[in-house]
Amino acid sequence: MGKHLNLPPGLVTLADHGEHARRSLDARTWAYFEGGAADGITLHANRAAWEAIRLRPRVLADLSGFDPRTALLGRAMAAPVLVAPMAHQGLAHPDAERGTALAAAALGVGLVLATQSGTPLEEVARASLPDPDRGPLWFQLYWLGNRAWVRELADRAQRAGYEAIVLTVDAPVQGVRDAERRSGFTLPAGMESPHVPPVARGAKLAALVQQAATWDEVAWLASESTLPVLLKGITHPADAALALEAGAAGIIVSNHGGRVLDTLPATATVLPEIVAAVDGRVPVLVDGGIRRGTDVVKALALGADAVLVGRPVLHGLANAGAAGVAHVLRLLLDEFMAAMALCGKRRVADLRDAGLVEAPSRP
């Protein structure tokens, strides 16, 4: 596949894409994309936790009718995988968010567009919506301290064809990212943020704290929005329960890829607690450190309905634009299908099986 997409040679895993992107991207941009908060403890714990889980497959299972497809909030998708919201993708490649959207749609993978996208949400929707086999198209919101602006963004997304709003709730302020600060990273002059109001750009911590969202804002948005609202950044089961009370239509277990608050537990370790608290009432998704098809299998065995993958998509974008993203997603989907079959499961629903994994203990 790589030869036909004019990809750099030797890219056969998501890790290969990451290593090639590291060598090709500017050091400051790499620090921005890859850096974690503080000492990077949570950043590294995310990956280590998935690696620590052991699979316990069953053999000689009937795999006739094997089918990796699933659905979320009524939208069919090729596999239980979505692209996570990530800011400023134009730093990686001129194809930017539009290229990511084209690739995700072509592979039947869901896409969550970030508020801090440099590409207007309407343009991304136009790239994604025409593909009849696309996955879900969702828009991620930060609470910007102004209900009128939040309502307008949510309405704008609905008019453009987005099918859900993802409210990020774990980052009222930016994390302390040492590698990014050491590198001297700043956004290039003229890089647009078409979904962020001018008053919110460059706001200081004291101002951000004063306008931080509470559960009242979540309930307001859930009642005002014509689209279902999922909450991204839940890591505590008590917050999962409050999310349901506030009207959330789904929960994304996330520690922001280790970029906001360091020393949080890995998402794989808290996922079963959140699944238990939700008890099947709304979909539960998870991100953080997903790098292999076996990680997707493990997440579903622990109770997730789907996963989101982030940084590897940026690596593929940096390496070959939209074609690179498509290659990353194809590699992950192929690995997922192989792992699913090798575990003796022929339907995605069959993967929700606690006996399939030896779950990790919390570090």
Side-chain angles (χ1 to χ4, degrees):
M1 180 179 179
K3 179 179 178 181
H4 300 295
L5 293 178
N6 295 317
L7 291 167
L11 302 181
V12 298
T13 69
L14 273 59
D16 292 338
H17 269 278
E19 180 57 26
H20 191 276
R22 183 188 66 79
R23 295 196 304 266
S24 59
L25 283 171
D26 173 84
R28 288 171 294 183
T29 300
W30 182 256
Y32 171 70
F33 284 152
E34 295 298 306
D39 297 309
I41 293 168
T42 297
L43 172 68
H44 298 297
N46 277 343
R47 182 75 208 113
W50 295 116
E51 291 176 341
I53 299 171
R54 296 293 178 259
L55 290 169
R56 300 296 303 274
R58 300 297 300 272
V59 299
L60 299 177
D62 180 3
L63 296 177
S64 59
F66 179 85
D67 187 355
R69 294 174 298 175
T70 189
L72 280 174
L73 300 180
R75 164 61 61 179
M77 50 202 304
V81 176
L82 300 91
V83 174
M86 293 171 288
H88 305 302
Q89 294 181 33
L91 291 168
H93 192 276
D95 286 356
E97 291 85 4
R98 183 176 182 276
T100 298
L102 286 168
L107 273 295
V109 166
L111 174 71
V112 187
L113 181 70
T115 291
Q116 292 177 307
S117 161
T119 308
L121 63 88
E122 292 85 358
E123 184 177 334
V124 174
R126 286 193 293 271
S128 178
L129 293 176
D131 195 314
D133 297 321
R134 67 174 178 86
L137 180 63
W138 299 347
F139 184 69
Q140 177 262 340
L141 269 175
Y142 281 108
W143 187 262
L144 302 174
N146 182 306
R147 287 190 175 188
W149 184 271
V150 170
R151 181 191 287 112
E152 170 54 28
L153 259 186
D155 289 347
R156 185 177 159 190
Q158 188 274 331
R159 292 192 299 269
Y162 289 78
E163 297 154 331
I165 297 296
V166 174
L167 181 66
T168 293
V169 296
D170 64 344
V173 300
Q174 181 172 294
V176 178
R177 299 197 286 266
D178 296 349
E180 184 180 319
R181 293 189 297 164
R182 289 191 189 100
S183 75
F185 173 82
T186 56
L187 286 174
M191 177 161 278
E192 297 183 358
S193 295
H195 312 122
V196 179
V199 69
R201 298 171 191 170
K204 302 300 182 183
L205 186 145
L208 293 172
V209 169
Q210 292 302 316
Q211 66 186 29
T214 68
W215 290 108
D216 289 340
E217 279 70 44
V218 173
W220 170 82
L221 180 60
S223 65
E224 288 284 322
S225 175
T226 58
L227 299 176
V229 176
L230 297 89
L231 300 191
K232 180 177 182 290
I234 301 294
T235 58
H236 197 290
D239 284 339
L242 290 171
L244 295 178
E245 292 178 12
I251 286 173
I252 301 176
V253 179
S254 174
N255 53 36
H256 219 103
R259 290 174 62 81
V260 174
L261 178 63
D262 202 15
T263 71
L264 269 70
T267 50
T269 65
V270 299
L271 174 60
E273 300 174 3
I274 307 301
V275 169
V278 170
D279 194 27
R281 286 171 284 182
V282 299
V284 175
L285 295 81
V286 64
D287 69 8
I290 301 292
R291 297 294 183 272
R292 286 284 189 180
T294 47
D295 300 335
V296 183
V297 167
K298 293 170 185 179
L300 271 62
L302 292 173
D305 293 283
V307 307
L308 297 93
V309 59
R311 289 178 175 98
V313 170
L314 289 176
H315 302 158
L317 186 66
N319 292 334
V325 175
H327 190 241
V328 163
L329 295 176
R330 183 71 269 161
L331 289 172
L332 185 63
L333 295 182
D334 287 349
E335 287 189 7
F336 165 65
M337 289 187 288
M340 181 175 163
L342 290 168
C343 285
K345 307 296 184 181
R346 59 178 173 176
R347 299 280 191 276
V348 167
D350 299 335
L351 289 167
R352 187 176 283 244
D353 176 2
L356 181 57
V357 292
E358 292 181 352
S361 58
R362 182 175 297 184

